[in-house]
Amino acid sequence: MCIVCFVKALVHVFKIYLTANYTYNFRSWPVDFRWDDVSTHAGGSSHRALTCTAAAAGVWLLQDAALGGGAPGRPLHGSRSQLQCLLQQIRELPGQLASYALAHSLGRWLVYPGSMFLMTRALLPLLQQGQERLVERYHGRRAKLVARDGNEIDTMFMDRRQHPGSQGRGLRLVICCEGNAGFYEMGCLSAPLEAGYSVLGWNHPGFGGSTGEPFPQHDANAMDVVIKYALHRLRFPPAHVVIYGWSIGGFTATWAAMSYPELGALVLDATFDDLVPLALKVMPQSWKGLVVRTVREHFNLNVAEQLCSYPGPVLLLRRTLDDVVSTSGHLRPLPFGDVEGNRGNELLLRLLQHRYPAVMAREGHAIVTRWLRAGSLAQEAAFYARYHVNDDWCLALLRSYRAHCEDKQEDEEVWGPHGLAFPWRVGQGLSSRRRRQLALFLARKHLKNVEATHCSPLEPEDFQLPWRL
C-alpha cells in the first residue's frame, strides 16, 4: 500500500514539474512558424498573403486618418511653410513627450492590465490549470509563432476536424482574440470550444508566454502571424475561419477581418467602437486633452472604422449588464436594463450606415436608435412586433436587390469574396414605414442581446455564427 501511495505521489510531483516547465521554458522552445514562412509554404493556396509592409501599414494608415494627418511624405513648398512646420513641431514637443510618458507607464497598465508582471504571477496557478485542461481534455497543441517585429506569440490549437460533429462545426476554425486582461488559458475561447468548433487561441504580446508589449501595432503583427499560421500551416480554408473578438480583442479581430477580407465571418462580443469615450470616462476631466492625444497617438483602437472595411458576415453580441464598455454614469454599477450608453450601439449604427445608407437615412437611423434602448429580450421583441416587421418581405427585398445586381454585372470591382460589395443602395424609394421595418430587420440580424456582465463567461449556446443572406 505504501508503494502505491509513493508511486501516486511521484506521478503527482512529476506532473507539477511538467506543468511548471511547460510555462517557464516556453522561451527556449523551437519556433513552429514565422510570419514570412508563407513564401515557401503557400503552395497552391489561393490566399493572397499579406506582406510585412501591409501588416504594419494597416494600423498606421488608420491612425493617420484618425489624426487628420496628410499624406505621408508630401513635401512642403516654400521656406515659410517649412519654418511654420518646424515651429509647430517645437510647440507640440512637450505634449508629445507627456503623451509618450503616459502611454508607456500608466496608460499601458490601464489599457492592457494583463501585461503587468504582478498580474501574470498572481494568475500563474490558474493559467497552468487552464493549459493542463486544454492539453488533456481537448488535445491542445501549443505552438510558438514569431511575428514580423520579432515578438514570440504563444498559441494553443484544438483540432476538431477528425470529429466535426453532426453539424460540421469542427470543420470551422474560430480564432479567439482575448480582452485586455484575458489569456487563452482561461479566456473567451471556452464558448466556441464547448460549442464544438476547432479553436485557435493566442496571447497578446506581453501576456503569458508571449513576448513584447501590447501596443496596437504589435497586436496587429501578432494577429497577422496567427492568421497566416491558421491558413498556411493548419490548412484551414479562409472561408472556414471565424474571428471572435471579446472586449478589447475587437481591435485585433476587426484588424484581421479588414486585412484578410476573404475570412469567413466576424463575431464581436462586448466590444466598443472607439477607445476615447471609455478612456475619458475613467480619467480626470482636467486630463481630457492629454488623454485624447495619448489614445489617438498610441492606443488608437478605432474598431468601428476597421469593421466597416470588412465585407463579410458580422454578428455583434451586446451584454445587457455590461458597465465596462458603457459611458452611462461614472464608475458605478448600471441599473438593470440600462444599455443606452453601451458603445456597441455606436458600433452597430456605424456598420449599418456604411452597408445600407439608404435604409439608415433619417427614420431608419432613428428607429434603430430607439430599438437599441431595449434592455431585455422581452422589450426587444415587443418593440419589434409593434412595427409589424415582416421578415419574409425583408428577405425577399434584399435577395431581389442582390439578384438584380448580379444580372446587371456592370462593374466587376463591386464583387468581393462575399459577393456584392457594400454599400448597397437597397431601400431607395421605400416608404417611411417600410424603411423602418427593413432597418429593424437588419439591426436584429446583426446584433444579439446577451443577459450577462462584461466578464461573465459566454455560454456555448450564445456563441453563434453571423447571419448570411
Side-chain angles (χ1 to χ4, degrees):
M1 187 66 180
C2 293
I3 296 177
V4 175
C5 294
F6 174 76
V7 172
K8 288 183 178 180
L10 186 62
V11 170
H12 180 68
V13 171
F14 186 65
K15 190 175 182 179
I16 294 177
Y17 170 76
L18 286 180
T19 305
N21 218 30
Y22 188 74
T23 301
Y24 289 115
N25 290 344
F26 184 70
R27 292 190 179 182
S28 63
W29 280 29
V31 174
D32 295 281
F33 187 83
R34 289 178 49 85
W35 65 274
D36 54 357
D37 283 349
V38 294
S39 59
T40 57
H41 291 87
S45 173
S46 60
H47 172 68
R48 175 183 55 82
L50 191 69
T51 63
C52 61
T53 303
V59 178
W60 289 112
L61 288 177
L62 289 181
Q63 281 191 329
D64 291 338
L67 288 169
R74 179 180 298 173
L76 294 173
H77 298 286
S79 58
R80 182 183 181 88
S81 297
Q82 293 181 0
L83 179 60
Q84 291 177 345
C85 181
L86 178 60
L87 293 176
Q88 181 68 17
Q89 291 177 351
I90 293 175
R91 284 194 294 266
E92 293 180 353
L93 184 58
Q96 291 176 349
L97 293 176
S99 175
Y100 181 88
L102 177 61
H104 287 77
S105 55
L106 179 63
R108 180 168 70 87
W109 298 334
L110 289 176
V111 178
Y112 290 98
S115 63
M116 297 176 61
F117 176 76
L118 291 178
M119 175 171 286
T120 302
R121 293 292 299 176
L123 294 176
L124 188 57
L126 295 177
L127 299 181
Q128 291 175 344
Q129 293 175 13
Q131 288 175 350
E132 182 180 346
R133 181 180 67 92
L134 294 176
V135 172
E136 293 185 354
R137 183 182 302 180
Y138 299 103
H139 308 288
R141 301 206 314 260
R142 201 181 189 194
K144 177 191 288 188
L145 315 183
V146 176
R148 70 173 302 269
D149 50 19
N151 286 335
E152 298 174 351
I153 307 303
D154 186 5
T155 69
M156 182 72 75
F157 171 54
M158 279 65 65
D159 195 351
R160 298 286 184 78
R161 286 175 290 188
Q162 296 299 322
H163 305 282
S166 59
Q167 299 179 347
R169 291 182 173 181
L171 300 177
R172 294 184 179 273
L173 175 69
V174 179
I175 300 179
C176 299
C177 304
E178 298 290 345
N180 63 356
F183 303 80
Y184 72 70
E185 293 91 339
M186 46 180 290
C188 66
L189 61 74
S190 61
L193 187 60
E194 294 178 13
Y197 295 93
S198 296
V199 175
L200 176 60
W202 60 283
N203 282 333
H204 295 284
F207 284 56
S210 298
T211 63
E213 296 180 342
F215 285 97
Q217 56 270 37
H218 300 316
D219 243 0
N221 290 330
M223 185 79 257
D224 177 50
V225 73
V226 169
I227 296 292
K228 290 176 178 175
Y229 175 66
L231 298 177
H232 300 284
R233 178 61 59 84
L234 302 181
R235 299 294 183 179
F236 278 89
H240 289 185
V241 176
V242 179
I243 308 297
Y244 172 41
W246 170 62
S247 189
I248 210 170
F251 170 73
T252 46
T254 53
W255 186 92
M258 173 190 68
S259 303
Y260 292 83
E262 61 269 42
L263 296 181
L266 175 64
V267 179
L268 298 178
D269 177 13
T271 191
F272 49 85
D273 59 325
D274 187 23
L275 186 60
V276 169
L278 299 176
L280 292 176
K281 171 187 172 183
V282 300
M283 298 299 288
Q285 183 66 25
S286 59
W287 289 26
K288 180 177 180 179
L290 179 60
V291 169
V292 172
R293 179 171 194 150
T294 302
V295 170
R296 288 290 178 235
E297 292 185 355
H298 300 279
F299 299 104
N300 192 36
L301 308 183
N302 42 3
V303 176
E305 190 174 351
Q306 296 182 156
L307 175 62
C308 292
S309 298
Y310 175 61
V314 173
L315 175 64
L316 307 179
L317 300 178
R318 183 181 69 168
R319 304 192 178 206
T320 58
L321 305 178
D322 192 340
D323 59 353
V324 174
V325 296
S326 174
T327 52
S328 295
H330 181 74
L331 294 178
R332 60 177 177 84
L334 292 178
F336 182 81
D338 184 3
V339 294
E340 190 170 354
N342 192 299
R343 300 306 301 185
N345 300 344
E346 297 299 323
L347 202 57
L348 176 69
L349 291 173
R350 287 281 300 273
L351 177 65
L352 294 182
Q353 285 177 315
H354 168 72
R355 293 191 169 189
Y356 309 99
V359 178
M360 292 299 292
R362 298 183 302 277
E363 53 274 301
H365 184 278
I367 200 66
V368 173
T369 302
R370 290 175 57 193
W371 175 79
L372 286 170
R373 296 172 186 167
S376 68
L377 296 179
Q379 293 177 358
E380 176 190 339
F383 190 92
Y384 197 76
R386 186 187 312 164
Y387 286 88
H388 307 287
V389 180
N390 188 327
D391 290 2
D392 293 334
W393 175 84
C394 295
L395 281 173
L397 178 65
L398 293 171
R399 288 169 177 167
S400 174
Y401 173 83
R402 184 180 62 183
H404 176 71
C405 294
E406 289 175 352
D407 292 339
K408 292 176 63 176
Q409 291 185 346
E410 293 179 349
D411 190 352
E412 294 183 358
E413 293 185 358
V414 302
W415 300 97
H418 299 276
L420 182 64
F422 295 106
W424 286 13
R425 290 179 292 179
V426 64
Q428 294 179 344
L430 291 178
S431 65
S432 297
R433 181 176 67 89
R434 286 299 193 183
R435 188 179 292 114
R436 290 190 189 99
Q437 292 175 343
L438 186 56
L440 285 174
F441 172 82
L442 291 170
R444 202 178 192 188
K445 290 297 184 182
H446 287 83
L447 184 140
K448 175 186 174 184
N449 280 321
V450 179
E451 190 173 319
T453 61
H454 185 79
C455 296
S456 300
L458 188 70
E459 296 296 331
E461 58 270 19
D462 287 328
F463 181 84
Q464 301 175 5
L465 296 185
W467 168 71
R468 293 175 182 269
L469 181 61

